[in-house]
PDB file of all heavy atoms in Angstrom:
ATOM      1  N   LYS M 135       0.874   3.140 -32.141  1.00  0.00           N
ATOM      2  CA  LYS M 135       2.196   3.700 -32.281  1.00  0.00           C
ATOM      3  C   LYS M 135       2.716   3.566 -33.724  1.00  0.00           C
ATOM      4  O   LYS M 135       3.448   4.480 -34.234  1.00  0.00           O
ATOM      5  CB  LYS M 135       3.166   2.887 -31.350  1.00  0.00           C
ATOM      6  CG  LYS M 135       2.953   3.028 -29.883  1.00  0.00           C
ATOM      7  CD  LYS M 135       4.009   2.242 -29.105  1.00  0.00           C
ATOM      8  CE  LYS M 135       3.693   2.233 -27.621  1.00  0.00           C
ATOM      9  NZ  LYS M 135       2.488   1.334 -27.284  1.00  0.00           N
ATOM     10  N   GLY M 136       2.380   2.515 -34.406  1.00  0.00           N
ATOM     11  CA  GLY M 136       2.910   2.235 -35.752  1.00  0.00           C
ATOM     12  C   GLY M 136       2.475   3.324 -36.747  1.00  0.00           C
ATOM     13  O   GLY M 136       3.315   3.842 -37.490  1.00  0.00           O
ATOM     14  N   VAL M 137       1.204   3.695 -36.735  1.00  0.00           N
ATOM     15  CA  VAL M 137       0.785   4.695 -37.744  1.00  0.00           C
ATOM     16  C   VAL M 137       1.314   6.076 -37.481  1.00  0.00           C
ATOM     17  O   VAL M 137       1.546   6.846 -38.435  1.00  0.00           O
ATOM     18  CB  VAL M 137      -0.827   4.742 -37.804  1.00  0.00           C
ATOM     19  CG1 VAL M 137      -1.398   5.446 -36.658  1.00  0.00           C
ATOM     20  CG2 VAL M 137      -1.263   5.338 -39.137  1.00  0.00           C
ATOM     21  N   ILE M 138       1.603   6.382 -36.175  1.00  0.00           N
ATOM     22  CA  ILE M 138       2.228   7.664 -35.917  1.00  0.00           C
ATOM     23  C   ILE M 138       3.662   7.720 -36.412  1.00  0.00           C
ATOM     24  O   ILE M 138       4.026   8.694 -36.964  1.00  0.00           O
ATOM     25  CB  ILE M 138       2.107   7.955 -34.381  1.00  0.00           C
ATOM     26  CG1 ILE M 138       0.676   8.097 -33.916  1.00  0.00           C
ATOM     27  CG2 ILE M 138       2.943   9.215 -34.041  1.00  0.00           C
ATOM     28  CD1 ILE M 138       0.481   8.213 -32.417  1.00  0.00           C
ATOM     29  N   ASN M 139       4.334   6.618 -36.262  1.00  0.00           N
ATOM     30  CA  ASN M 139       5.669   6.525 -36.791  1.00  0.00           C
ATOM     31  C   ASN M 139       5.707   6.528 -38.291  1.00  0.00           C
ATOM     32  O   ASN M 139       6.563   7.033 -38.911  1.00  0.00           O
ATOM     33  CB  ASN M 139       6.443   5.279 -36.244  1.00  0.00           C
ATOM     34  CG  ASN M 139       6.917   5.509 -34.781  1.00  0.00           C
ATOM     35  OD1 ASN M 139       7.976   6.168 -34.585  1.00  0.00           O
ATOM     36  ND2 ASN M 139       6.210   5.074 -33.850  1.00  0.00           N
ATOM     37  N   ASP M 140       4.653   5.901 -38.871  1.00  0.00           N
ATOM     38  CA  ASP M 140       4.525   5.847 -40.384  1.00  0.00           C
ATOM     39  C   ASP M 140       4.325   7.279 -40.882  1.00  0.00           C
ATOM     40  O   ASP M 140       4.630   7.558 -42.066  1.00  0.00           O
ATOM     41  CB  ASP M 140       3.319   5.026 -40.771  1.00  0.00           C
ATOM     42  CG  ASP M 140       3.658   3.441 -40.585  1.00  0.00           C
ATOM     43  OD1 ASP M 140       4.803   3.171 -40.408  1.00  0.00           O
ATOM     44  OD2 ASP M 140       2.661   2.752 -40.555  1.00  0.00           O
ATOM     45  N   ALA M 141       3.849   8.170 -40.081  1.00  0.00           N
ATOM     46  CA  ALA M 141       3.635   9.530 -40.510  1.00  0.00           C
ATOM     47  C   ALA M 141       4.940  10.362 -40.363  1.00  0.00           C
ATOM     48  O   ALA M 141       4.921  11.559 -40.667  1.00  0.00           O
ATOM     49  CB  ALA M 141       2.595  10.172 -39.705  1.00  0.00           C
ATOM     50  N   GLY M 142       5.991   9.754 -40.004  1.00  0.00           N
ATOM     51  CA  GLY M 142       7.265  10.417 -39.903  1.00  0.00           C
ATOM     52  C   GLY M 142       7.523  11.015 -38.572  1.00  0.00           C
ATOM     53  O   GLY M 142       8.398  11.903 -38.375  1.00  0.00           O
ATOM     54  N   ILE M 143       6.733  10.651 -37.527  1.00  0.00           N
ATOM     55  CA  ILE M 143       6.841  11.250 -36.202  1.00  0.00           C
ATOM     56  C   ILE M 143       7.361  10.130 -35.266  1.00  0.00           C
ATOM     57  O   ILE M 143       6.823   9.121 -35.091  1.00  0.00           O
ATOM     58  CB  ILE M 143       5.486  11.685 -35.629  1.00  0.00           C
ATOM     59  CG1 ILE M 143       4.854  12.693 -36.618  1.00  0.00           C
ATOM     60  CG2 ILE M 143       5.601  12.361 -34.332  1.00  0.00           C
ATOM     61  CD1 ILE M 143       3.393  12.979 -36.361  1.00  0.00           C
ATOM     62  N   ALA M 144       8.549  10.392 -34.660  1.00  0.00           N
ATOM     63  CA  ALA M 144       9.129   9.485 -33.770  1.00  0.00           C
ATOM     64  C   ALA M 144       8.278   9.413 -32.485  1.00  0.00           C
ATOM     65  O   ALA M 144       8.119  10.448 -31.779  1.00  0.00           O
ATOM     66  CB  ALA M 144      10.612   9.896 -33.370  1.00  0.00           C
ATOM     67  N   PHE M 145       7.731   8.248 -32.240  1.00  0.00           N
ATOM     68  CA  PHE M 145       6.764   8.165 -31.119  1.00  0.00           C
ATOM     69  C   PHE M 145       6.878   6.767 -30.504  1.00  0.00           C
ATOM     70  O   PHE M 145       6.748   5.691 -31.207  1.00  0.00           O
ATOM     71  CB  PHE M 145       5.360   8.304 -31.679  1.00  0.00           C
ATOM     72  CG  PHE M 145       4.251   8.218 -30.613  1.00  0.00           C
ATOM     73  CD1 PHE M 145       4.026   9.252 -29.800  1.00  0.00           C
ATOM     74  CD2 PHE M 145       3.445   7.100 -30.488  1.00  0.00           C
ATOM     75  CE1 PHE M 145       3.021   9.184 -28.831  1.00  0.00           C
ATOM     76  CE2 PHE M 145       2.412   6.948 -29.513  1.00  0.00           C
ATOM     77  CZ  PHE M 145       2.232   8.042 -28.697  1.00  0.00           C
ATOM     78  N   SER M 146       7.180   6.684 -29.200  1.00  0.00           N
ATOM     79  CA  SER M 146       7.357   5.435 -28.534  1.00  0.00           C
ATOM     80  C   SER M 146       6.207   5.123 -27.592  1.00  0.00           C
ATOM     81  O   SER M 146       6.125   3.941 -27.116  1.00  0.00           O
ATOM     82  CB  SER M 146       8.666   5.390 -27.698  1.00  0.00           C
ATOM     83  OG  SER M 146       8.734   6.481 -26.819  1.00  0.00           O
ATOM     84  N   GLY M 147       5.356   6.049 -27.363  1.00  0.00           N
ATOM     85  CA  GLY M 147       4.107   5.696 -26.571  1.00  0.00           C
ATOM     86  C   GLY M 147       3.576   6.911 -25.827  1.00  0.00           C
ATOM     87  O   GLY M 147       4.245   7.969 -25.741  1.00  0.00           O
ATOM     88  N   HIS M 148       2.360   6.706 -25.280  1.00  0.00           N
ATOM     89  CA  HIS M 148       1.721   7.723 -24.482  1.00  0.00           C
ATOM     90  C   HIS M 148       2.639   8.203 -23.381  1.00  0.00           C
ATOM     91  O   HIS M 148       2.813   9.394 -23.097  1.00  0.00           O
ATOM     92  CB  HIS M 148       0.544   7.098 -23.843  1.00  0.00           C
ATOM     93  CG  HIS M 148      -0.798   7.459 -24.534  1.00  0.00           C
ATOM     94  ND1 HIS M 148      -1.683   6.383 -24.847  1.00  0.00           N
ATOM     95  CD2 HIS M 148      -1.370   8.577 -24.850  1.00  0.00           C
ATOM     96  CE1 HIS M 148      -2.715   6.970 -25.387  1.00  0.00           C
ATOM     97  NE2 HIS M 148      -2.665   8.254 -25.429  1.00  0.00           N
ATOM     98  N   THR M 149       3.188   7.257 -22.602  1.00  0.00           N
ATOM     99  CA  THR M 149       3.865   7.598 -21.325  1.00  0.00           C
ATOM    100  C   THR M 149       5.101   8.520 -21.628  1.00  0.00           C
ATOM    101  O   THR M 149       5.228   9.566 -20.958  1.00  0.00           O
ATOM    102  CB  THR M 149       4.324   6.333 -20.689  1.00  0.00           C
ATOM    103  OG1 THR M 149       3.238   5.410 -20.446  1.00  0.00           O
ATOM    104  CG2 THR M 149       5.060   6.629 -19.354  1.00  0.00           C
ATOM    105  N   GLU M 150       5.849   8.163 -22.668  1.00  0.00           N
ATOM    106  CA  GLU M 150       7.037   8.951 -22.994  1.00  0.00           C
ATOM    107  C   GLU M 150       6.641  10.360 -23.442  1.00  0.00           C
ATOM    108  O   GLU M 150       7.220  11.341 -23.070  1.00  0.00           O
ATOM    109  CB  GLU M 150       7.834   8.229 -24.017  1.00  0.00           C
ATOM    110  CG  GLU M 150       8.478   6.930 -23.568  1.00  0.00           C
ATOM    111  CD  GLU M 150       7.518   5.781 -23.554  1.00  0.00           C
ATOM    112  OE1 GLU M 150       6.312   5.909 -24.011  1.00  0.00           O
ATOM    113  OE2 GLU M 150       7.950   4.710 -23.178  1.00  0.00           O
ATOM    114  N   LEU M 151       5.578  10.432 -24.233  1.00  0.00           N
ATOM    115  CA  LEU M 151       5.134  11.769 -24.692  1.00  0.00           C
ATOM    116  C   LEU M 151       4.581  12.608 -23.563  1.00  0.00           C
ATOM    117  O   LEU M 151       4.971  13.865 -23.439  1.00  0.00           O
ATOM    118  CB  LEU M 151       4.001  11.624 -25.767  1.00  0.00           C
ATOM    119  CG  LEU M 151       3.352  12.948 -26.211  1.00  0.00           C
ATOM    120  CD1 LEU M 151       4.394  13.764 -26.916  1.00  0.00           C
ATOM    121  CD2 LEU M 151       2.143  12.686 -27.118  1.00  0.00           C
ATOM    122  N   LEU M 152       3.818  12.022 -22.664  1.00  0.00           N
ATOM    123  CA  LEU M 152       3.308  12.769 -21.490  1.00  0.00           C
ATOM    124  C   LEU M 152       4.383  13.212 -20.538  1.00  0.00           C
ATOM    125  O   LEU M 152       4.329  14.320 -19.976  1.00  0.00           O
ATOM    126  CB  LEU M 152       2.265  11.927 -20.796  1.00  0.00           C
ATOM    127  CG  LEU M 152       0.944  11.642 -21.575  1.00  0.00           C
ATOM    128  CD1 LEU M 152       0.088  10.597 -20.832  1.00  0.00           C
ATOM    129  CD2 LEU M 152       0.235  12.916 -21.879  1.00  0.00           C
ATOM    130  N   GLU M 153       5.456  12.366 -20.423  1.00  0.00           N
ATOM    131  CA  GLU M 153       6.567  12.768 -19.612  1.00  0.00           C
ATOM    132  C   GLU M 153       7.175  14.023 -20.157  1.00  0.00           C
ATOM    133  O   GLU M 153       7.557  14.985 -19.432  1.00  0.00           O
ATOM    134  CB  GLU M 153       7.616  11.665 -19.592  1.00  0.00           C
ATOM    135  CG  GLU M 153       8.847  11.890 -18.795  1.00  0.00           C
ATOM    136  CD  GLU M 153       9.785  10.707 -18.725  1.00  0.00           C
ATOM    137  OE1 GLU M 153       9.780   9.909 -19.729  1.00  0.00           O
ATOM    138  OE2 GLU M 153      10.508  10.486 -17.711  1.00  0.00           O
TER     139      GLU M 153
END
Side-chain angles (χ1 to χ4, degrees):
K135 298 183 185 71
V137 74
I138 295 175
N139 282 280
D140 287 344
I143 305 168
F145 181 77
S146 54
H148 260 128
T149 302
E150 294 80 1
L151 176 64
L152 294 173
E153 181 178 30

